Structure formats: structure tokens, C-alpha cells
Amino acid sequence: MAAGPDSRLLRAVLEPWCPVPFVAWPMPGLPGWVGSLDLVVVLAPDGSDHGSALAVTEALRRGAQVVVAAPEKSLVTEHAEGRWCHLLPIVTGDQSAAAVVMLEFLDRVDLGPRTDVEDVAGALDHVATVCSPHQDLSVNPAKLLAIALADRTPVVWGGTVLAARAARRVAESLRRATGVSAIAGDAEHLLPVLESAPLQDLFDDPLESDSASLPPVLVVLDDGSDEPVVAEQRDRLVRAAGERRVRVETLTCDPGATSELARYASLLLQGRYAAAYLQIGLTGE
């Protein structure tokens, strides 16, 4: 089982592949069934989380094998000692980076799919280049998305398991950066939101709109999946948006990203850049 921030990302990656049952547990502590036959992986990117430290202590007390991704000198690593505990030292507080380090380890012990760290790093480098503040608005997807979201309520959707996870993280980033409502969910949960959106008059002045009831904008995170179910859900959402004259914005991942994890990282970082640009535009900070 996985505990700590982004444990659900590990579940999304591992569930289709892992040869044993896998559970994500993002809450403090551990479920009561964890024991000596279990492997507990703990993500603690900043190392100061008391809940993660408690999870490590409790897992070791119950005799479970433990793998921890955390800074070497931190509260969590102080509890990660013993013959059944393995530490993966990290030097960044980024949740996704800690998850990639853990996934690479699980790949090496044949408990996870192949994790190409260089592929993920290449995808992130590509996003950092195309979304750079020095890139002109016309070719910067993050700046374009930020402008599209400035007077709208973001409704973020991703079709695959990892794209859906990225959608939730992007919505979190938008809420944190601006304080404005932003939602993410499965197609069946978002369709009622789009279908009930007030029909916008093409001649309405957006400057006179009520800020408490901003119209939605559908943000599609496209990771290149060609699965028929994903395509059908996307068509339903786009069609519903079109019927209510709701704007649709699409983020696509780095075309050079070959793995699902790299495509996830590409979409997530673009969304974070957009949130940062939106925060600057709305608050000046």
C-alpha cells in the first residue's frame, strides 16, 4: 500500500500492472489490516509531515516492510530506521518528483511498470521551454489558457486514469493560486454542470457579468489516448459545451513523451504554469 501525498498517483500507475493488490491511503496513520506480510511505501516530499512519520512508525511496529521517499535529514527519516526499512533520499519538496523516484524503485523490484526517468525529465524540460515567461503569448499554451480562464469557472477533465488525476491536480492548483472555484471529475459528473450552464448571449459584455456566477469553461487534458471510451466521453462533453456555448480549451502533452507518466507530468506542469500566470494576472503577485 502507499501512504502520503500523491499516493493516489501511485495507485493510478500501479493498479493496471502490479501483480498484487494495491491500496492508496492518503490519510494519517495506516488501515488496521496492514501487517507483516505487507509492503508500505511512504511519500514524504518535505519530510516534516507528522502523518507520514506516524505511518512509518506504525508500519515498522507491525512488522511490515517499508520504503520511504523523503529528504535525508527530516522528521520522517528519523522514524525510518530498521532492517525492514529502505530510504530513497530526495532533495525536492515536489510531490510528483517523490512519486517518480518511488515508481522507479518499484520498477527495479518488479512491482511496477517501466519508469523512464529521462522520459519524464524530457517532457518537463519541453513544458518549461514552451511555457516560459519569455515565450510569446501566441505560442505559449499556459498563457493562452490563463487568459481563457480569467473570467470563467474552470471545469477540468481528463479521460484516462492518469489524465483524470492530472485534471484534479490542475484544478487544485487553480483554486490555490486564485481562490476561484475550479472543479474536476469524471464525464458523468461534469456533464450536468455543462448542461445547466446559462446560455450565453454572444453580445453580452463580459465586464458586466456577475463575478459570483462566472460561466464555465471546459478544459480538456488530452494525453493522446485513442481509447474508444475516452473519445466517446470527450465527444459528449464537447457537444454539451457547444450546445450551451461554453468555451472549450485543450491542453496536449509533449509529443516526444513516450510513457504514460511523462504525458501525465507534461499536462500537470502546463496546468501549473497556467495557474501561476492566472494568479499574476488577477492578483499581480
Side-chain angles (χ1 to χ4, degrees):
M1 65 156 288
D6 249 1
S7 56
R8 290 192 177 99
L9 171 59
L10 293 188
R11 181 181 64 187
V13 175
L14 293 173
E15 273 189 338
W17 195 96
C18 189
V20 295
F22 185 88
V23 175
W25 189 261
M27 286 79 75
L30 295 176
W33 51 261
V34 171
S36 59
L37 298 179
D38 297 304
L39 170 66
V40 177
V41 298
V42 179
L43 301 175
D46 65 8
S48 63
D49 178 43
H50 287 271
S52 297
L54 174 63
V56 172
T57 301
E58 186 66 16
L60 291 174
R61 185 185 69 81
R62 299 186 196 181
Q65 296 188 54
V66 181
V67 182
V68 180
E72 282 192 282
K73 297 181 179 180
S74 64
L75 172 67
V76 173
T77 54
E78 290 176 3
H79 295 75
E81 296 181 351
R83 61 178 299 188
W84 301 115
C85 188
H86 182 72
L87 175 65
L88 302 176
I90 58 176
V91 295
T92 173
D94 184 75
Q95 295 182 18
S96 298
V100 171
V101 169
M102 184 64 73
L103 286 168
E104 184 186 28
F105 170 82
L106 295 174
D107 170 21
R108 291 180 179 180
V109 297
D110 295 326
L111 288 177
R114 173 160 166 65
T115 300
D116 188 339
V117 176
E118 293 300 323
D119 188 30
V120 176
L124 295 178
D125 285 344
H126 175 79
V127 173
T129 299
V130 299
C131 295
S132 165
H134 304 292
Q135 287 286 358
D136 186 77
L137 171 64
S138 61
V139 294
N140 190 318
K143 289 182 179 179
L144 288 170
L145 180 59
I147 290 175
L149 302 181
D151 57 351
R152 296 288 190 273
T153 299
V155 176
V156 194
W157 175 82
T160 64
V161 173
L162 284 180
R165 180 65 189 153
R168 287 173 171 81
R169 293 289 305 279
V170 169
E172 290 171 7
S173 296
L174 292 169
R175 291 193 298 267
R176 189 178 301 112
T178 66
V180 176
S181 175
I183 62 173
D186 299 330
E188 61 266 28
H189 299 143
L190 299 182
L191 274 171
V193 177
L194 299 174
E195 293 170 346
S196 62
L199 190 61
Q200 297 294 302
D201 191 310
L202 295 176
F203 299 100
D204 283 347
D205 185 351
L207 298 179
E208 296 181 357
S209 62
D210 181 5
S211 60
S213 57
L214 296 176
V217 53
L218 175 62
V219 181
V220 175
L221 302 190
D222 181 7
D223 63 356
S225 172
D226 56 0
E227 297 179 15
V229 174
V230 173
E232 187 270 335
Q233 291 178 347
R234 174 175 178 165
D235 289 344
R236 288 170 60 198
L237 288 168
V238 172
R239 184 164 58 250
E243 291 172 352
R244 305 306 296 177
R245 296 176 187 163
V246 172
R247 181 186 300 170
V248 179
E249 299 291 332
T250 302
L251 280 183
T252 58
C253 57
D254 172 17
T258 59
S259 67
E260 291 183 348
L261 188 60
R263 292 192 287 269
Y264 163 86
S266 175
L267 292 173
L268 176 58
L269 188 57
Q270 288 181 74
R272 285 180 168 176
Y273 265 104
Y277 288 133
L278 186 58
Q279 180 180 26
I280 293 172
L282 294 179
T283 67
E285 300 178 356

